Amino acid sequence: MEASINGNGAHGKSPCPCGDTKISLETFCAHGWTKLENKTGALSTPIFLSSTFAHPDLNHSSGFDYSRGLNPTRLELEQTVAALEHTEYSLAFSSGMAAISTWVKQFVPGDHVLLSEDLYGGTLCVDNTFLSPYLQQPKLLGADFVVHSGTKYLGGHNDVIAGFLCYSGKENDEFFRVQAMSEGAALSPFDSWLVLRGIKTLPLRMDRSCDNAEKIADFLKTVPAVEKVFFAGFATGEELEVQKNQSKRFGAMISFYVKDEKKVPEILSRFKVISFAESLGGVQSLITYPVTQTHNSIPKEIREKVGVNDKLLRLSVGIENADELIADLEQALK
C-alpha cells in the first residue's frame, strides 16, 4: 500500500522521511516522520520531558518555547499522524474528546451542523478511529477534517489516552493551535512516545486483528445463542461496494445480539481470554456492553432506535490466536 507523504512536514519544519515523497505506508509506520534522531542517530524518538526551552538570545528561538504549545516528541508524533492521514497538520491531545472539543470551537451561532443519529461521545467530523489510516484515509475521500481516539488502534496497547485532530490550511492551523494552547489539553511527551511506538506496528496489528475478526464473525453466525451479527464484511449490494472503495479491509469490530438479554450478565462473567472492558483497538480482545458502558449517556429511546439495546454486545478483536478466541466465545455463549 502506497502512502504519499507530504514533503513540507506537518509544521513546515522537517524534510520528507527517507528522502522520498512516496514510500509504502508499512515502511513509513515503522520509521515515522524522522527515521533517525539527527544528533545521536537514535532509532527511537527521544522523550523530551522538559517543560520549557532556553532561548539563545532575545528574538531568537530553537523553535520550541513551552511544551504546552510545542514539544519535540509530540511534534514527531503530530508530523507522523498528519502524513498518515494526508493532511498538512495534526495536533495531538490528551484524549479524543479534547480533539473534538477543539474542532467544534470553529463554529459560531447560526452555523449548521449535520450529524449522524447514532452519534458517539459528541463526535462531529470524520472519525477514523475504527479503521485507522492503515485501512482508510478520509482526506483522500474528500474530508476536510479527521479525528482519532489515539487510545485505540494508533496506540494499540491499552496503555495511553490520546486524541488527534488532522487538517490542512494555515488559517485552520493558526485557529486550532491557539485553542489548543489556551485550553492546555496537549498530549504529554511520554504519552506521545507511547503512541509513536504503537504506530510502528500498526499495519501488522491491523492485519492480524482483521484476519481474526473475519473468522470470528463467521463463527458467531453459527452460534445458537446469537440472534444477529453485525460486521462490515457482511454488507451487501451498494453498502459493500462503498466499503470496498473506501477502505482496504473491513476492520476488526464486531457487534451481535444475543437471543436472551437476561443471560448477558452470565455470559460476560464466563470469558477467560477475552476481557470485559470498555475500549477497543488494542492487542487484547475486549467485549463491551454498550447500554451500560459506551452508550449509557444516550437517552434510551434514541439508543434503541439505532439498535443499541439490551441484547447488544460489542467485540473488539485483538491479535491473539483466533482459535482460542473462538473457543472462549463458544464456552461463554453456550
Side-chain angles (χ1 to χ4, degrees):
M1 184 175 184
E2 294 294 319
S4 178
I5 306 302
N6 186 333
N8 292 325
H11 297 281
K13 291 180 180 292
S14 299
C16 186
C18 303
D20 194 354
T21 58
K22 201 171 184 68
I23 61 174
S24 70
L25 191 148
E26 291 86 351
T27 298
F28 181 74
C29 284
H31 291 175
W33 184 260
T34 305
K35 181 180 178 182
L36 304 173
E37 199 277 324
N38 59 7
K39 290 185 178 180
T40 66
L43 286 168
S44 178
T45 300
I47 304 173
F48 289 87
L49 294 175
S50 183
S51 61
T52 190
F53 301 86
H55 304 297
D57 52 53
L58 185 63
N59 298 323
H60 290 87
S61 170
S62 65
F64 299 95
D65 303 311
Y66 192 62
S67 277
R68 175 156 49 93
L70 199 63
N71 175 276
T73 311
R74 189 170 65 246
L75 176 60
E76 170 69 13
L77 174 61
E78 290 171 339
Q79 290 176 315
T80 298
V81 173
L84 288 172
E85 286 293 3
H86 296 264
T87 58
E88 293 177 346
Y89 305 95
S90 171
L91 288 175
F93 294 87
S94 56
S95 72
M97 294 309 301
I100 292 169
S101 177
T102 299
W103 181 79
V104 166
K105 289 181 173 63
Q106 67 184 300
F107 297 108
V108 297
D111 285 348
H112 291 258
V113 179
L114 299 178
L115 43 130
S116 61
E117 194 170 31
D118 58 342
L119 201 66
Y120 168 72
T123 305
L124 292 174
C125 63
V126 179
D127 188 335
N128 203 25
T129 297
F130 275 43
L131 289 178
S132 87
Y134 177 62
L135 298 183
Q136 174 180 271
Q137 297 92 36
K139 181 68 166 59
L140 300 184
L141 300 169
D144 295 311
F145 304 96
V146 181
V147 293
H148 278 276
S149 171
T151 309
K152 313 306 193 293
Y153 288 107
L154 290 177
H157 292 77
N158 294 317
D159 57 8
V160 63
I161 302 293
F164 295 91
L165 172 58
C166 307
Y167 53 91
S168 293
K170 184 177 180 181
E171 184 176 341
N172 284 328
D173 188 53
E174 291 174 350
F175 176 82
F176 290 135
R177 198 163 294 281
V178 168
Q179 301 303 314
M181 182 69 174
S182 299
E183 298 194 0
L187 192 63
S188 75
F190 182 71
D191 287 348
S192 297
W193 182 86
L194 286 174
V195 181
L196 279 169
R197 181 207 57 182
I199 290 174
K200 291 181 184 298
T201 60
L202 176 65
L204 297 173
R205 290 185 287 102
M206 290 304 300
D207 277 334
R208 178 59 177 261
S209 292
C210 288
D211 288 344
N212 285 350
E214 290 169 9
K215 295 175 183 178
I216 290 169
D218 286 335
F219 163 74
L220 285 171
K221 291 176 72 173
T222 71
V223 177
V226 174
E227 183 177 285
K228 187 174 182 179
V229 181
F230 302 92
F231 178 58
F234 292 160
T236 58
E238 185 178 350
E239 288 186 355
L240 180 60
E241 290 307 308
V242 170
Q243 181 76 22
K244 288 182 176 180
N245 289 334
Q246 290 188 177
S247 61
K248 182 181 177 181
R249 299 189 67 174
F250 299 116
M253 298 300 301
I254 303 170
S255 294
F256 58 95
Y257 289 149
V258 294
K259 290 182 179 178
D260 186 355
E261 65 269 27
K262 293 180 181 178
K263 292 186 177 180
V264 167
E266 182 181 359
I267 290 170
L268 292 173
S269 69
R270 287 177 178 171
F271 285 106
K272 299 176 181 178
V273 178
I274 299 167
S275 296
F276 174 35
E278 184 174 353
S279 192
L280 61 99
V283 292
Q284 300 104 329
S285 295
L286 305 179
I287 195 157
T288 301
Y289 192 41
V291 295
T292 63
Q293 294 178 299
T294 57
H295 291 67
N296 183 49
S297 62
I298 299 175
K300 184 177 180 181
E301 60 274 16
I302 297 177
R303 208 170 56 219
E304 293 189 343
K305 183 179 179 181
V306 298
V308 181
N309 58 37
D310 292 342
K311 295 183 177 183
L312 184 70
L313 292 173
R314 188 188 75 181
L315 178 63
S316 171
V317 181
I319 67 170
E320 303 98 333
N321 179 278
D323 292 337
E324 292 176 355
L325 292 173
I326 288 172
D328 197 33
L329 284 161
E330 186 174 23
Q331 63 84 23
L333 293 166
K334 65 182 178 182

